[in-house]
Amino acid sequence: KQWYQRRVRAPETRGDQDHVFEDVKMLVQSAVDGYNVCIFAYGQTGSGKTFTMIGTPEMPGIAPRAFSRIFDLLDENVKKFSYTVNLYMCELYNDQLLDLLDGKNSKKLEIKKDGKGMVFVQNITVKTAASASQLWQIFDSGSQNRHVASTKMNAESSRSHL
C-alpha cells in the first residue's frame, strides 16, 4: 500500500493550532460520513506530538477541536439524519491490545472485520457521548489508563500507541 504525506510542519509554524486543524478538518467530515480516518503524529520524544493532538486549554489541539466539530456537523444535519456518537479507546502495549475504558482489561481484544468490511475491536468497552464535552470527558478518562514512563526527555512519555 502507498501512503500519501500531505503536510510536514516547519518549526516556525509550531504552536499554530488553528492552521494545523484547518489542514485536517475535512477528515472530521469524512469520519462523520462513515469513512475510517487516521491522523498519525510521528516524531521524537518531546517534538510536539501530544501538543499537536491534545494541545492545552488555551490552545486546543486536533482532538478537542475534532470533538467540537463532530457535534457541530451533527447539529447542522439534525433534521436530515439521526446520529449516535460512540467511542472506544485502546492502546497497543507490548504487542497486546488493551481497553483503556475498562481499567481491568479483563477481556481479550481482537481486531475483526464485520460483514461490510468495517474494522472493529471485538470485546472492547463502547461508551456513548451526547456532546463534545462528554466526549472529551470519556477520552480524558481513557487517557488516564495509558502506559507512561519517564525518559530523559519527558517525565510522562507514552509507552504505547493509542
Side-chain angles (χ1 to χ4, degrees), residues 8-162:
V8 175
R9 287 267 167 204
E12 60 271 10
T13 63
R14 192 173 170 191
D16 189 355
Q17 299 286 54
D18 295 329
H19 284 102
V20 172
F21 188 68
E22 282 301 314
D23 282 348
V24 300
K25 187 164 75 173
M26 290 308 297
L27 294 174
V28 177
Q29 176 69 58
S30 294
V32 169
D33 290 343
Y35 293 95
N36 288 327
V37 172
C38 176
I39 298 173
F40 188 79
Y42 177 80
Q44 179 178 341
T45 297
S47 64
K49 298 178 298 295
T50 301
F51 178 74
T52 298
M53 296 305 295
I54 307 302
T56 65
E58 300 79 28
M59 289 190 288
I62 290 172
R65 289 170 190 256
F67 297 167
S68 294
R69 183 70 184 140
I70 288 167
F71 283 94
D72 289 346
L73 290 167
L74 299 182
D75 288 345
E76 290 170 14
N77 292 288
V78 72
K79 292 182 179 175
K80 296 180 195 173
F81 306 102
S82 65
Y83 292 94
T84 302
V85 176
N86 293 317
L87 167 71
Y88 65 83
M89 286 179 70
C90 56
E91 72 174 348
L92 182 60
Y93 177 71
N94 286 341
D95 293 329
Q96 192 173 18
L97 203 55
L98 303 174
D99 186 342
L100 294 175
L101 298 179
D102 170 24
K104 297 175 243 158
N105 281 297
S106 54
K107 300 175 200 159
K108 180 172 172 38
L109 303 181
E110 292 187 63
I111 299 172
K112 302 275 187 176
K113 280 189 180 180
D114 66 15
K116 297 178 184 175
M118 295 295 290
V119 176
F120 72 98
V121 180
Q122 188 174 40
N123 297 322
I124 197 156
T125 303
V126 177
K127 298 205 175 188
T128 301
S131 67
S133 62
Q134 189 177 27
L135 184 55
W136 177 257
Q137 288 171 344
I138 296 168
F139 177 83
D140 191 46
S141 171
S143 295
Q144 301 302 315
N145 292 324
R146 292 189 71 196
H147 286 83
V148 295
S150 180
T151 68
K152 290 182 180 180
M153 293 183 70
N154 191 338
E156 289 191 7
S157 182
S158 172
R159 302 290 91 210
S160 65
H161 300 282
L162 179 64

